[in-house]
Amino acid sequence: MPTFPAAVDSRLPGVGTTIFTVMSALAQQCGAINLSQGYPDFNAEDVLFERVAHWMRAGANQYAPMAGVLPLRAAIAAKLTDLYGTDYDADTEITVTAGATQGLFTAIAALVRPGDEVIVFEPVYDSYVPAITLQGGTVRRVTLRAPDYRPVWDEVAALIGPRTRMIIINSPHNPTATIWSAADMAELARLTRDSGIVVLSDEVYEHIVFDGERHQSVARLPELAVRSVIVSSFGKTYHVTGWKVGYVAAPAALMAEFRKVHQFNVFTVNTPVQFALADYMADARRYLGLGDFYQAKRDRFRDALAGSRFELLPSRGTYFQLARFGALSDASDKAFVEWLTREVGVAAIPVSAFFDDGRDEGVIRFCFAKSEDTLDAACERLCRL
Ligand code: PMP
Ligand code: GLN
């Protein structure tokens, strides 16, 4: 192919390939155990696949309604009421999306105008900032500091001004594995009171919370729920990240704006999978049991690494575990994970990738959404160091 006959004026000049893609590709190339990109290495239950096959054979293979099939929207609304106490109207306040990533992008595209300011918390999940930039929004950053990565609310307050359009939050938090408390949510409510600020709440790990703690959804606080767009992902909850199905819940006026963009972005999402997920959601134990399921993996992983030279930070939710490697190396975190992947055969994510300025605190992220055999084999290698 001849080259494009002009200079390409990039909309995202500073952006390369995501660290998740880079590390998974390196892991594959090296035959390393892949604890980098966040996805399970085990399968979902057969019954879920049976439901998809059922709906395909039953003819559910054409376009679903733009907002998603009604049984799935109704199941999502019922779950939100049961767990968090806020009623969402399945007709006007829930939309099924092509994963959380599309939900986040579409919400930002629908609600952020050029010149608007959007507050994010760093380390920050990698899709938020490019989405804001593409809309001409200005990113304002609050730094979460190791080892506990708590938000400092005075710093948030100092960034809020007349141009603040949106605050993006994410609890349980990727990559730090921290969770926000009820007091944090109350602070957020207080700081946004009487403003037009929209809270975009990335709750993809809502069911993966440990040690008896509760997930603090924005939907628990009516005052926050009225200004919030909630984004979640079936990929995380049902071990099917490759299906790319998620949902967005928001008050009708915000959802109307969301759908204006959604209909021209993806229009709608895989029909038989939506019906299958609606059937599967009928048994609440399938998502309610997720915290215990992953807590057992977290504990196995942490116990196995207790004798290693990694310093493990707390993991209170998500399926991630942060570790300091300062006792092993004074390399940069990027160089360290490359060495770990190539020479030790275990891939991880450098946390500097979640900072705009590449801040390197000598911390890496492991994903423990893996079978016991995978975790044991990885820990055996990591403990040799
Ligand atoms: N937000 C966070 C915090 C994530 O970790 C991920 C990765 N699963 C996503 C959004 C994207 O989710 P999905 O795969 O459903 O697009
Ligand atoms: N959310 C996953 C992670 O943090 C990755 C998803 C992706 O590769 N975009 O590892």
Side-chain angles (χ1 to χ4, degrees), residues 5-32:
V8 181
D9 186 12
S10 175
R11 299 282 316 279
L12 296 170
V15 170
T17 305
T18 82
I19 190 69
F20 309 118
T21 304
V22 169
M23 290 314 303
S24 276
L26 186 65
Q28 197 179 12
Q29 181 197 321
C30 301

Side-chain angles (χ1 to χ4, degrees), residues 98-101 104 125 128 170 174 202 204-205 233 236 241 244:
T101 311
L104 291 160
Y125 185 64
Y128 307 166
N170 169 222
N174 179 8
D202 180 346
V204 300
Y205 301 103
S233 171
K236 302 288 163 184
T241 60
K244 296 299 297 185

